[in-house]
Amino acid sequence: MPDTDMLDRLIRTAVRTDDDVVDLVTALVERPITRQCWVLFLDERAVPVSFVMPISDLPWQPDEHVEDFAALVGDVLVQVGGTEVVLVWERPGESRLFPVDWEWVDACACAFEEHDVRLRAQVAVHTGGVAIVSLDDVEPVDDGPLPIAS
């Protein structure tokens, strides 16, 4: 059960640092339950918008619909009065991200940039914890799990 006092405080506080992003995501998604992506929206002051979009029906691997996903997020961003988003990759039963997860991180970074959607951060939530993910931190490994930034 989420700590509602902490969550109430966090949704009224600007998300300025990576630690702020991790704190917000940790309060919203305490532990991974299902494989899905959460889209969190931040306003011009970097304060979370009171709208969260969970998406559980994304394909296993990114495909041509990643562009549609980016366009949808861009449309919603405008509708809710946001200026940037945080993508949260919920991965139950895993302690690390796998190559397919990194494909999603990369595909979304590219598609969001093409659609002028400012991506504040991408965050992994799995049994190993919650952390910002960055493609700069990845060293390719043949078909095995890849670490996340700590």
Side-chain angles (χ1 to χ4, degrees):
M1 192 79 176
D3 178 349
T4 56
D5 290 336
M6 171 74 83
L7 187 56
D8 285 343
R9 182 180 57 78
L10 288 171
I11 62 174
R12 292 187 186 95
T13 304
V15 178
R16 301 213 187 278
T17 67
D18 286 351
D19 287 341
D20 293 340
V21 172
V22 169
D23 289 346
L24 176 63
V25 170
T26 301
L28 285 170
V29 185
E30 285 186 317
R31 60 186 166 79
I33 296 171
T34 188
R35 184 180 174 85
Q36 64 184 334
C37 177
W38 295 83
V39 184
L40 313 180
F41 300 89
L42 306 175
D43 69 15
E44 71 280 350
R45 298 167 302 154
V47 174
V49 173
S50 296
F51 180 79
V52 177
M53 189 168 72
I55 302 177
S56 59
D57 61 352
L58 290 172
W60 181 256
Q61 289 186 288
D63 59 16
E64 69 276 2
H65 298 294
V66 172
E67 296 295 325
D68 298 335
F69 177 47
L72 170 68
V73 170
D75 289 345
V76 172
L77 184 64
V78 170
Q79 291 174 23
V80 300
T83 58
E84 58 187 350
V85 300
V86 174
L87 292 182
V88 180
W89 302 102
E90 182 180 356
R91 298 296 185 257
E94 304 298 342
S95 60
R96 304 180 102 171
L97 293 181
F98 286 84
V100 69
D101 300 314
W102 288 103
E103 288 177 34
W104 271 108
V105 169
D106 183 42
C108 285
C110 294
F112 280 52
E113 184 176 345
E114 287 176 18
H115 286 271
D116 295 321
V117 174
R118 184 160 178 241
L119 189 56
R120 168 59 183 87
Q122 295 193 62
V123 181
V125 177
H126 52 59
T127 58
V130 177
I132 301 278
V133 294
S134 171
L135 290 168
D136 296 336
D137 299 326
V138 175
E139 292 182 26
V141 177
D142 293 335
D143 296 329
L146 299 175
I148 60 173
S150 4

